[in-house]
Amino acid sequence: KPQLVASNDRFYRFLEEYCPVVTETYYPTIWCWEGRVQTLLRPFITSRPQVQYRNELIKTADGGQISLDWFDNSDSLYYPDASTRPTVLLLPGLTGTSKESYILHMIHQSETLGYRCVVFNNRGIAGEDLLTPRTYCAANTEDLEAVIHHVHSLHPTAPFMAAGVSMGGMLLLNYLGKTGRDTPLMAAAIFSAGWNVFESVESLEKPLNWLLFNYYLTTCLQSSISRHRQMLEKLFDMDLVMKARTVREFDKQFTSVMFGYCTIDDYYEDASPCRKLKSVGIPVLCLNSVDDVFSPGHAIPVETAKQNANVALVLTSCGGHIGFLEGIWPRKCTYMDRVFKQFVQAMFEHGNNIFSM
């Protein structure tokens, strides 16, 4: 069974009643139960549901642009009125976009419930041009704030939640820690977030993890910016950036410099959501596996979470990073998908009950 950490008895009972998956035994796929294997295989095993998006480009205060992919769910039987149709904002991982299989599955789950989804693609990552020499990072929440304000302004009477995966979860947590209760979001779900960036990069720099994950992730980061090289060369030594062989080297030469940090340690300190968890002011459910090499179990802030009545952690012993595969042939639905579906439905349909239980 997962470990459910929630200091608020009412939140705990709410989850037991309306999101029972978090108290059920999780049986990982027996032939790929180890965390690294789960992490590696999930993108290849899980299906990719067909989703028809409507793209929108919005301008930012600094002259940049952000690409949003909307799934309007116009045929929703449960919520035919678009003005009050519940909306879920989805934040993909570090180099992820609206095309990731885990995002497509979240949209598929939302579609069956009648909800609308919008995917926040980080700058320059989803095929759109960079209009300024700026991309994104886990610590800077300005673009996310702009997107949340924009979506809320379009549908001010619609219930509004967000779900973030990996770095998307870190960014969402950092935003919530900054805004407290001053947000149009009613709740949030976080999956496989890296809680302490120092511990995450140290884990990823162990020889086997570097070979399996770190080097590949670094090349993905370099690939994501290489298309914008002409724009970025105005501020960066791109030859040096493209020589990075670890995420830490990339962040030292590129990310931390872009966002004005004196040192990479200053950036990693600011990017670590564990520092802001006490300030979260809305109900948040966070799913992690303790065998996740991207977010080591010992770095999950269990004691800090116990100090905030708005926070619940669900910790599985297996599952890896965005893995959570279950069943003999885990193609269609993961444990993470089921947690997402039950939690968003619980909050949209019974959220007011948290305070009365």
Side-chain angles (χ1 to χ4, degrees):
K1 281 192 174 185
Q3 179 187 358
L4 177 58
V5 179
S7 64
N8 185 334
D9 286 343
R10 287 178 295 182
F11 196 9
Y12 194 102
R13 291 197 301 273
F14 174 85
L15 292 171
E16 281 186 317
E17 181 167 348
Y18 297 110
C19 189
V21 65
V22 301
T23 61
E24 297 170 1
T25 302
Y26 161 56
Y27 296 98
T29 298
I30 195 164
W31 51 268
C32 66
W33 57 270
E34 202 272 339
R36 283 173 290 212
V37 179
Q38 284 238 359
T39 305
L40 289 167
L41 290 183
R42 182 205 54 78
F44 301 102
I45 292 177
T46 52
S47 62
R48 304 179 67 83
Q50 289 294 313
V51 174
Q52 195 69 38
Y53 288 120
R54 170 177 62 85
N55 184 256
E56 179 187 19
L57 293 174
I58 64 170
K59 292 290 188 285
T60 59
D62 69 329
Q65 64 180 356
I66 301 169
S67 174
L68 301 179
D69 281 321
W70 289 84
F71 173 72
D72 295 301
N73 207 0
S74 301
D75 298 326
S76 173
L77 296 176
Y78 300 111
Y79 301 95
D81 183 353
S83 66
T84 55
R85 186 176 303 144
T87 304
V88 187
L89 174 65
L90 300 176
L91 286 72
L94 184 59
T95 58
T97 68
S98 59
K99 297 177 182 177
E100 304 304 319
S101 63
Y102 56 83
I103 294 292
L104 298 175
H105 276 270
M106 286 181 173
I107 291 174
H108 178 66
Q109 301 285 2
S110 301
E111 179 182 16
T112 63
L113 296 169
Y115 307 151
R116 168 175 48 224
C117 293
V118 54
V119 185
F120 166 38
N121 298 295
N122 285 301
R123 288 198 203 193
I125 205 91
E128 82 285 7
D129 290 332
L130 277 185
L131 302 183
T132 61
R134 167 177 166 162
T135 56
Y136 59 93
C137 75
N140 189 290
T141 62
E142 291 172 3
D143 283 359
L144 177 56
E145 289 169 40
V147 168
I148 288 174
H149 174 76
H150 174 73
V151 173
H152 180 61
S153 68
L154 292 177
H155 307 286
T157 58
F160 190 18
M161 279 184 65
V165 182
S166 192
M167 194 212 77
M170 297 165 65
L171 181 63
L172 183 53
L173 282 166
N174 286 330
Y175 160 80
L176 294 174
K178 177 181 176 182
T179 57
R181 293 185 180 181
D182 187 21
T183 172
L185 298 175
M186 62 180 293
I190 310 292
F191 301 100
S192 294
W195 288 98
N196 184 317
V197 183
F198 296 100
E199 298 290 347
S200 294
V201 293
E202 186 174 325
S203 171
L204 286 169
E205 286 169 357
K206 293 177 179 177
L208 182 57
N209 294 339
W210 178 84
L211 189 65
L212 292 175
F213 305 109
N214 199 328
Y215 180 69
Y216 172 73
L217 192 56
T218 306
T219 59
C220 287
L221 285 165
Q222 291 165 329
S223 176
S224 72
I225 63 171
S226 62
R227 191 171 66 87
H228 310 291
R229 184 167 184 142
Q230 190 172 1
M231 172 64 73
L232 295 170
E233 276 180 333
K234 298 174 182 178
L235 295 181
F236 301 96
D237 182 343
M238 292 299 290
D239 288 334
L240 194 59
V241 173
M242 300 307 278
K243 289 177 182 175
R245 289 296 173 264
T246 66
V247 173
R248 191 196 298 263
E249 289 176 6
F250 180 89
D251 285 338
K252 182 178 180 180
Q253 300 296 340
F254 185 77
T255 317
S256 61
V257 177
M258 172 174 285
F259 288 94
Y261 292 96
C262 294
T263 68
I264 189 172
D265 285 357
D266 291 335
Y267 166 51
Y268 281 174
E269 183 80 12
D270 200 25
S272 298
C274 60
R275 296 177 62 249
K276 305 182 181 75
L277 194 58
K278 289 181 182 178
S279 305
V280 171
I282 61 171
V284 174
L285 181 68
C286 308
L287 174 66
N288 282 89
S289 173
V290 297
D291 69 353
D292 181 353
V293 299
F294 286 76
S295 185
H298 65 267
I300 298 171
V302 174
E303 294 307 314
T304 308
K306 290 177 180 177
Q307 298 170 34
N308 189 334
N310 295 303
V311 176
L313 304 181
V314 181
L315 308 178
T316 61
S317 56
C318 305
H321 187 70
I322 330 175
F324 302 103
L325 301 174
E326 57 185 356
I328 297 300
W329 184 239
R331 182 158 171 75
K332 290 194 174 179
C333 188
T334 68
Y335 179 76
M336 176 178 130
D337 297 331
R338 294 197 293 130
V339 172
F340 168 81
K341 182 177 183 179
Q342 287 191 17
F343 183 65
V344 295
Q345 184 175 21
M347 291 307 308
F348 281 144
E349 298 181 13
H350 308 286
N352 292 334
N353 293 359
I354 289 181
F355 306 105
S356 61
M357 295 183 79

